Amino acid sequence: GYTVYLKGGKNNVITGLFARNANSSGYGLFIQDSDTNTVTQSYLLGGDRGADLDAGADYNVISLSTMIGNSSIGLVANGADSNTVTGSYMWGGSYGVDLIAGSDSNVISFSTMIGGSAGGLYATNADSNTVTSSFLRGGANGAYLDTGSDYNAISFSSMTGTSSDGLYANAATSNTVTQSYLWGGNWGAKLDSGSNYNTISVSTMFGIVDTGLYLYGSATNTVTQSYVWGGTFGVYLNGGAGRTDISLSTMIGNSQFGLLASGSVWNTVTQSYLLGGNDGANLDTASNFNAISLSTMIGTGAYGLDANSADSNTVTGSYLRGGQNAVRLVTGSDQNTISLSTMISNSAGNA
C-alpha cells in the first residue's frame, strides 16, 4: 500500500511530510499521472520503495528529503519524465535510484544514492537524464546504465561499486561522464557489448583488483584528460573494442600492463602516459591498425611496447622504455611502424 498517493493531482506542495509504510510491499509516496507537484523537507519510507514516480508523473520536484526502500529501491521513476530531485538522500536494499521504462530528462543533483546489494543508480531504457554533484554507491555498481539508456550525463560525481564497477554500461550509447571519480572492487568503469559513442573526460577511474577501464565489444568511445589505474591493467580493450580514442590521459596497470588490447582494431592513443608492472602497452592477437603517438610507454618488468600477432600498428613521436627491451614484436607481428621515437632498455645489451 501507499502512505501518500497522488493521482491526477497538480501543483500540490507537501512540506515536512513523514510518510512511513514498513509493510513488505509498502511505499512511502506514490505519484501517478500527476504533474508539477513539490515535496520538500520530507521523510519517505517504504518496506519496498521510498518513493515511486509512476507513468505520467512529470515535472515534479523532490528536495531536501530522505527516501528509503527497505527491501528494494529508494526512488523509482517508471515512465516519468522531467522530474527534479535535489539535496536528497536515497537508500534502497537493492538500488538507491531506479530509472526505467522511458523515464527521460530527469535531473538529480547534490544527492546521495546508495543501493545495499546492487547499485546506487540503475537505468534501463531511460534517456537524457542528468546526475550532477552527487554520491552513488552500490554493493555491486555505483552506477549501472543498462540496455537502451542513452544520452545520459553524469558530472562532478563519485561512483563506487564495492564488489564490481564504479560505472557499468551495457548496450548504452552516447552517454557522458565528466569530472567524476569512479571506483570499483574489480573495474573502475566497464563499457560492455554495444556501449558505443560514450565519453569519459577529466575523471579518475580505479579498478582495485582488475582494470581501471575495461571495454568489451564497444566501439567509438572517447576517453580524455583522465587518470586510469588498475590492480592488473590500466585500460583493457577486448572483444572487438574498436575506434576508441584515448588522449591526454594516464594509464597504469600495477601488476601487468598500462594498456592491453586484444582483438581490438583502429584504436588511437595520443599524448598519454602508459605504465605497467610488466609492459607499458601490450597489443595482443589480432589487435591491428592501432595508433599510438606523442606518448610515453614504460614497462618496468618487461617491455615498453609488446606486440604479439598484431599487425599494421603505428607508433610515432613517443618514448618507450622497458626493463628488458624497449620494444618486442613477436609471432607474426607484421607491417608495424615505429618512427620519430626514443627506445631505451634497462637491460644491458638490449634495445
Side-chain angles (χ1 to χ4, degrees):
Y2 317 126
T3 304
V4 176
Y5 182 14
L6 293 180
K7 182 175 175 61
K10 299 180 185 295
N11 301 311
N12 297 288
V13 177
I14 300 173
T15 303
L17 173 69
F18 181 87
R20 181 179 184 273
N21 185 341
N23 186 280
S24 62
S25 61
Y27 295 16
L29 171 68
F30 185 80
I31 302 177
Q32 185 180 58
D33 294 323
S34 299
D35 301 337
T36 327
N37 299 287
T38 299
V39 177
T40 188
Q41 299 179 62
S42 294
Y43 182 89
L44 313 169
L45 183 145
D48 187 5
R49 302 174 182 184
D52 190 315
L53 306 179
D54 208 44
D58 306 325
Y59 300 101
N60 299 287
V61 176
I62 301 175
S63 66
L64 305 173
S65 295
T66 296
M67 290 158 270
I68 297 177
N70 281 338
S71 66
S72 189
I73 305 163
L75 170 66
V76 176
N78 182 7
D81 300 335
S82 303
N83 297 286
T84 298
V85 177
T86 189
S88 294
Y89 177 89
M90 290 152 280
W91 187 96
S94 294
Y95 297 103
V97 173
D98 191 355
L99 306 178
I100 58 177
S103 292
D104 305 328
S105 303
N106 298 287
V107 177
I108 302 174
S109 64
F110 300 102
S111 295
T112 296
M113 292 160 266
I114 298 177
S117 65
L121 169 67
Y122 177 74
T124 181
N125 292 313
D127 299 336
S128 303
N129 298 287
T130 299
V131 174
T132 188
S133 303
S134 294
F135 177 82
L136 302 82
R137 190 183 76 200
N141 317 110
Y144 184 167
L145 304 180
D146 206 355
T147 306
S149 292
D150 307 326
Y151 302 101
N152 299 288
I154 302 175
S155 64
F156 301 103
S157 295
S158 176
M159 290 162 269
T160 299
T162 303
S163 67
S164 191
D165 325 277
L167 169 67
Y168 179 65
N170 178 48
T173 66
S174 304
N175 299 287
T176 62
V177 174
T178 188
Q179 298 185 68
S180 293
Y181 177 87
L182 302 85
W183 186 101
N186 271 326
W187 304 281
K190 184 176 181 180
L191 306 183
D192 215 342
S193 301
S195 292
N196 306 326
Y197 301 102
N198 299 287
T199 299
I200 301 175
S201 65
V202 199
S203 295
T204 297
M205 290 161 269
F206 278 100
I208 299 306
V209 172
D210 203 299
T211 305
L213 172 63
Y214 181 38
L215 283 75
Y216 182 87
S218 299
T220 324
N221 294 288
T222 299
V223 178
T224 187
Q225 299 179 71
S226 294
Y227 179 90
V228 190
W229 187 97
T232 306
F233 309 115
V235 174
Y236 186 1
L237 308 178
N238 193 17
R243 300 190 184 277
T244 304
D245 185 3
I246 302 174
S247 64
L248 302 166
S249 294
T250 296
M251 292 161 268
I252 299 176
N254 192 52
S255 67
Q256 290 295 320
F257 314 135
L259 169 68
L260 171 61
S262 179
S264 298
V265 300
W266 297 108
N267 299 289
T268 301
V269 175
T270 189
Q271 298 181 72
S272 294
Y273 179 85
L274 300 81
L275 172 66
N278 198 17
D279 299 335
N282 186 295
L283 305 180
D284 205 4
T285 307
S287 290
N288 306 326
F289 302 103
N290 299 287
I292 302 175
S293 64
L294 305 173
S295 295
T296 295
M297 289 161 272
I298 299 175
T300 56
Y303 312 106
L305 170 66
D306 190 5
N308 178 25
S309 298
D311 299 334
S312 303
N313 299 287
T314 62
V315 175
T316 187
S318 294
Y319 176 91
L320 303 92
R321 191 180 77 207
Q324 295 181 30
N325 301 97
V327 177
R328 185 177 77 156
L329 307 178
V330 296
T331 318
S333 293
D334 302 325
Q335 299 181 339
N336 297 287
T337 301
I338 301 175
S339 63
L340 303 172
S341 295
T342 298
M343 291 169 272
I344 297 176
S345 170
N346 288 344
S347 179
N350 294 326

